[in-house]
Amino acid sequence: QKEVEQNSGPLSVPEGAIASLNCTYSDRVSQSFFWYRQYSGKSPELIMSIYSNGDKEDGRFTAQLNKASQYVSLLIRDSQPSDSATYLCAVNGRGSTLGRLYFGRGTQLTVWP
Amino acid sequence: GAGVSQSPSNKVTEKGKDVELRCDPISGHTALYWYRQSLGQGLEFLIYFQGNSAPDKSGLPSDRFSAERTGGSVSTLTIQRTQQEDSAVYLCASSFQGGNEKLFFGSGTQLSVL
């Protein structure tokens, strides 16, 4: 199984700060990258997808992708207590494994008021 | 329905018993996935169905696990002779086409094997 690694947590930031979540992946041919948010006791929900090198911004969220370094990150600006959740990085396969999403273990984020 | 529906939401069983978990995907979604999430762990891929193609079963951890999808819609994950290490939340997800599509997850089945 392809390896998706996330920076160990938990991560704790004050309200209003920038939270930085990192993810590396082992399969050099991976093409699609996703960030899912999972609240405690709930199912994951997609918050960002990115397919090309560079930055992609959506509101307070910015995904960054560097395929050469096999690295993808998620920045949350102006963090809010409601952002407290586990963030899962997911990487898509290619070819025969195109349909699969491989998930990291997640980074638990706590935003304190 | 409006979302991915899974049943039961909780299942407690004794070691050695068989269990069946059900998933009803969003209408019109051709791709269906099963994942397993143990406490404090990420999502472990189990199996993937795409349309009428042969399923990708490569994530099933042992031959005690099997899954089928009838009529391109409802799926059942069966675990035979359950073991304590099978205890986890089993999540089903569907997407419109698979591949790069957004996954919609069900609320999961919490399986506890005593």
Side-chain angles (χ1 to χ4, degrees):
Chain A
Q1 184 145 330
K2 299 174 189 190
E3 201 166 307
V4 179
E5 298 285 345
Q6 295 187 238
N7 54 324
S8 59
L11 177 65
S12 181
V13 300
E15 184 174 358
I18 295 176
S20 177
L21 306 165
N22 303 313
C23 173
T24 59
Y25 57 95
S26 60
D27 191 343
R28 197 169 281 279
V29 300
S30 296
Q31 293 292 308
S32 306
F33 308 88
F34 307 87
W35 284 98
Y36 281 77
R37 178 176 62 199
Q38 186 174 27
Y39 290 114
S40 180
K42 301 296 184 181
S43 297
E45 57 179 340
L46 180 70
I47 54 171
M48 289 287 285
S49 59
I50 186 166
Y51 308 101
S52 304
N53 280 328
D55 295 359
K56 179 181 178 182
E57 187 174 317
D58 183 1
R60 296 185 295 110
F61 298 94
T62 299
Q64 299 175 317
L65 175 61
N66 184 326
K67 290 185 180 180
S69 300
Q70 296 175 232
Y71 174 90
V72 58
S73 67
L74 179 69
L75 300 177
I76 307 174
R77 292 183 301 282
D78 188 24
S79 296
Q80 301 296 309
S82 59
D83 295 326
S84 298
T86 296
Y87 290 80
L88 300 165
C89 173
V91 175
N92 194 274
R94 273 188 75 186
S96 63
T97 66
L98 177 62
R100 291 185 220 166
L101 270 186
Y102 297 94
F103 285 83
R105 290 190 174 190
T107 299
Q108 185 177 343
L109 171 66
T110 300
V111 181
W112 43 277
Chain B
V4 178
S5 177
Q6 290 188 248
S7 61
S9 56
N10 282 282
K11 177 70 176 179
V12 180
T13 190
E14 294 179 349
K15 178 182 173 180
K17 299 286 188 182
D18 297 351
V19 295
E20 284 190 352
L21 312 180
R22 176 189 168 103
C23 173
D24 197 346
I26 293 173
S27 178
H29 280 193
T30 62
L32 186 148
Y33 306 75
W34 284 97
Y35 284 88
R36 177 169 72 174
Q37 188 172 33
S38 301
L39 189 63
Q41 302 295 310
L43 275 66
E44 176 188 3
F45 168 80
L46 297 178
I47 189 168
Y48 163 57
F49 296 89
Q50 173 57 61
N52 296 321
S53 301
D56 177 355
K57 303 179 181 181
S58 60
L60 296 177
S62 76
D63 58 7
R64 297 186 295 105
F65 289 73
S66 63
E68 63 177 18
R69 187 178 185 192
T70 54
S73 181
V74 173
S75 177
T76 302
L77 177 68
T78 301
I79 308 173
Q80 296 178 312
R81 305 181 302 281
T82 53
Q83 304 294 312
Q84 288 184 331
E85 61 263 28
D86 298 334
S87 297
V89 175
Y90 288 80
L91 288 164
C92 176
S94 71
S95 69
F96 184 62
Q97 287 184 321
N100 297 333
E101 295 289 321
K102 172 182 177 180
L103 265 60
F104 294 82
F105 283 87
S107 55
T109 294
Q110 172 72 64
L111 175 65
S112 300
V113 182
L114 305 180

